[in-house]
């Protein structure tokens, strides 16, 4: 049995499919943890959800975390200014197009349920902490600040508070080289960022969807194969 953690997908369904089928080659006993940001910018947010829900249907052990883009999508339903910002600047247009919808409320009940049941964080065997963006180590209780879990950047790990656990997150795009460097220092630094900018294929060192095999401490990397039009 292996545990795989997968970074930000952002509507790149073909890339996710290739990662799962060609790079990871899942077995039924494997665990999969998704770090959030399934939607926006890429061409097929609906397809990403369908792939993940199919894993559920096939009885894979799947955990899905909430990303800031999912929160924006849901919250924009109640805030016109937020909706305009999300739609124009955060890839909302592509998301609604993929669902053939004009708003979150037009999604099917199954898709709405997927969004509503996403988790803020996950801990496995008291050894790994999984979260979308990071943690607020200024707080005595590092699991109290839900905003930081979705939005913070440049997390500096407090080793006294994290102990022997490793923080695994996404949210802030970085080059695949930077993620590989973090992996080499993971025992010392206790942190790794798996967002290798899948949707930012035109940027040097980015354009990859990355999974981390927890037990083997290796990366499975799939170059983006989706058609991306990001301006």
């Amino acid at each position: 049995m292996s545990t795989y953690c997968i970074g930000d997908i952002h509507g790149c369904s073909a890339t996710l499919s290739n990662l799962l089928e060609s790079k990871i080659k899942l077995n039924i006993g494997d665990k999969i943890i998704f770090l959030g940001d399934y939607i926006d910018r890429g061409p097929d947010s609906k397809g990403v959800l369908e792939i993940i829900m199919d894993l559920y249907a096939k009885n894979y052990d799947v955990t899905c975390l909430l990303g800031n883009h999912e929160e924006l999508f849901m919250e924009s339903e109640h805030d016109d200014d937020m909706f305009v910002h999300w739609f124009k600047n955060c890839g909302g247009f592509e998301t609604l197009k993929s669902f053939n919808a004009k708003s979150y409320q037009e999604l099917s009940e199954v898709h709405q349920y997927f969004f509503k049941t996403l988790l803020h964080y996950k801990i496995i065997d008291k050894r790994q902490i999984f979260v979308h963006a990071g943690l607020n180590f200024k707080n005595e209780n590092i699991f109290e600040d839900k905003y930081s879990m979705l939005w913070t950047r440049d997390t500096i790990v407090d080793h006294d508070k994290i102990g022997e656990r490793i923080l695994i997150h996404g949210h802030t795009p970085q080059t695949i080289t930077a993620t590989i460097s973090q992996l080499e220092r993971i025992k010392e630094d206790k942190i790794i960022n798996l967002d290798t900018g899948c949707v930012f294929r035109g940027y040097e060192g980015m354009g990859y969807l990355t999974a981390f095999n927890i037990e083997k401490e290796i990366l499975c990397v799939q170059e983006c194969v989706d058609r991306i039009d990001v301006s």
Side-chain angles (χ1 to χ4, degrees):
M1 184 187 74
S2 295
T3 304
Y4 295 94
C5 182
I6 299 176
D8 303 40
I9 305 164
H10 280 302
C12 295
S13 62
T15 306
L16 175 60
S17 180
N18 281 14
L19 176 69
L20 293 173
E21 295 175 9
S22 301
K23 304 294 184 180
I24 294 177
K25 299 178 181 178
L26 287 175
N27 295 308
I28 195 62
D30 294 337
K31 293 182 179 180
I32 312 106
I33 299 164
F34 292 96
L35 292 176
D37 280 6
Y38 314 98
I39 64 170
D40 293 349
R41 297 199 173 105
D44 192 18
S45 293
K46 181 181 179 181
V48 171
L49 265 62
E50 296 291 345
I51 290 171
I52 295 172
M53 290 189 294
D54 185 59
L55 293 174
Y56 278 115
K58 292 177 178 175
N59 294 316
Y60 281 95
D61 187 340
V62 179
T63 298
C64 290
L65 301 186
L66 176 67
N68 62 302
H69 280 259
E70 287 78 50
E71 182 183 61
L72 273 174
F73 187 21
M74 290 186 284
E75 293 297 323
S76 69
E77 190 67 26
H78 312 290
D79 186 320
D80 289 344
D81 290 336
M82 185 181 293
F83 178 86
V84 171
H85 170 69
W86 168 73
F87 185 83
K88 289 186 175 181
N89 303 316
C90 302
F93 169 78
E94 290 82 1
T95 294
L96 291 179
K97 182 179 179 182
S98 76
F99 283 100
N100 193 26
K102 295 181 180 179
S103 68
Y104 174 78
Q105 289 299 328
E106 289 192 10
L107 267 60
S108 69
E109 291 185 9
V110 171
H111 291 132
Q112 288 189 40
Y113 180 80
F114 175 88
F115 286 105
K116 291 176 181 177
T117 54
L118 296 171
L119 305 176
H120 276 87
Y121 68 94
K122 175 79 171 179
I123 301 174
I124 291 185
D125 297 331
K126 299 182 179 179
R127 291 182 294 180
Q128 297 94 23
I129 302 171
F130 303 89
V131 67
H132 176 64
L135 294 171
N136 180 1
F137 283 96
K138 295 179 180 179
N139 278 10
E140 187 64 29
N141 179 359
I142 60 176
F143 301 108
E144 188 174 56
D145 186 349
K146 298 296 194 296
Y147 178 87
S148 290
M149 291 179 182
L150 300 180
W151 292 97
T152 193
R153 300 190 191 274
D154 302 319
T155 293
I156 299 176
V157 171
D158 184 328
H159 289 238
D160 291 332
K161 290 181 179 177
I162 203 170
E164 294 302 312
R165 296 171 295 186
I166 294 170
L167 179 62
I168 302 171
H169 72 96
H171 180 57
T172 301
Q174 67 179 17
T175 65
I176 185 64
T177 301
T179 296
I180 292 171
S181 296
Q182 285 185 313
L183 178 58
E184 293 171 349
R185 305 190 310 270
I186 197 166
K187 287 183 170 60
E188 294 78 23
D189 295 346
K190 307 295 185 185
I191 189 170
I192 187 168
N193 174 11
L194 299 182
D195 183 359
T196 47
C198 181
V199 79
F200 298 117
R201 192 169 57 189
Y203 293 73
E204 185 176 356
M206 296 189 191
Y208 300 94
L209 182 59
T210 299
F212 180 37
N213 184 311
I214 305 300
E215 289 78 17
K216 295 180 180 179
E217 292 191 348
I218 59 173
L219 300 174
C220 301
V221 181
Q222 170 64 53
E223 186 174 2
C224 181
V225 297
D226 289 81
R227 293 174 61 89
I228 305 295
D229 181 17
V230 180
S231 56

